């Protein structure tokens, strides 16, 4: 599947595979770690106050990133893991 990256009827096309998840882009903007730092933080419920969006079933690669999405959130739900597959299992993702 392709999305038009210039406008309707344009000849230039952009494969959908190149479009990143908004929170992956967020890692770059906020200078969060792009690689795991030894622990994974599985976030079931969090919130991004700057974007005003709820965070659901996200795996953060650093405590700083996890704290950004969970601090000040009344019903936050997160847990740290040393194994990525255990973090995915906690979030209920199928491997």
């Amino acid at each position: 599947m392709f999305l038009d990256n210039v406008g309707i009827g344009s000849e230039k096309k952009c494969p959908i595979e190149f479009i990143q998840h908004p929170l992956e882009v967020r890692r770059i903007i906020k200078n969060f770690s792009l690689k795991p730092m030894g622990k994974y933080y599985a976030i079931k419920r969090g919130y991004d106050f700057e974007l005003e969006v709820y965070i659901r079933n996200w795996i953060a690669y650093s405590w700083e990133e996890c704290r950004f999405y969970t601090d000040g959130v009344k019903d936050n739900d997160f847990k740290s893991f040393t194994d990525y597959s255990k973090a995915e299992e906690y979030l209920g993702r199928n491997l």
Side-chain angles (χ1 to χ4, degrees):
M1 176 182 222
F2 286 81
L3 295 177
D4 193 304
N5 70 340
V6 177
I8 297 173
S10 170
E11 295 300 317
K12 292 185 178 182
K13 300 290 179 183
C14 175
I16 197 166
E17 294 84 33
F18 293 134
I19 296 173
Q20 293 181 319
H21 189 284
L23 294 181
E24 290 174 358
V25 174
R26 192 84 167 137
R27 283 183 176 149
I28 296 166
I29 294 170
K30 298 300 274 183
N31 291 321
F32 293 139
S33 177
L34 299 176
K35 296 179 184 174
M37 303 298 286
K39 276 192 171 182
Y40 302 93
Y41 300 87
I43 303 170
K44 282 190 176 181
R45 285 188 307 275
Y47 192 77
D48 186 327
F49 289 97
E50 290 179 11
L51 295 178
E52 298 181 352
V53 294
Y54 286 97
I55 307 301
R56 299 283 189 259
N57 299 326
W58 180 251
I59 297 177
Y61 292 158
S62 68
W63 172 240
E64 180 184 31
E65 181 181 6
C66 178
R67 196 173 62 212
F68 181 81
Y69 294 128
T70 58
D71 271 2
V73 179
K74 184 179 174 183
D75 62 342
N76 69 29
D77 185 4
F78 65 94
K79 189 173 179 182
S80 68
F81 296 90
T82 55
D83 185 10
Y84 189 84
S85 62
K86 296 286 184 188
E88 285 198 321
E89 185 178 308
Y90 173 75
L91 296 176
R93 294 182 183 174
N94 294 331
L95 298 176

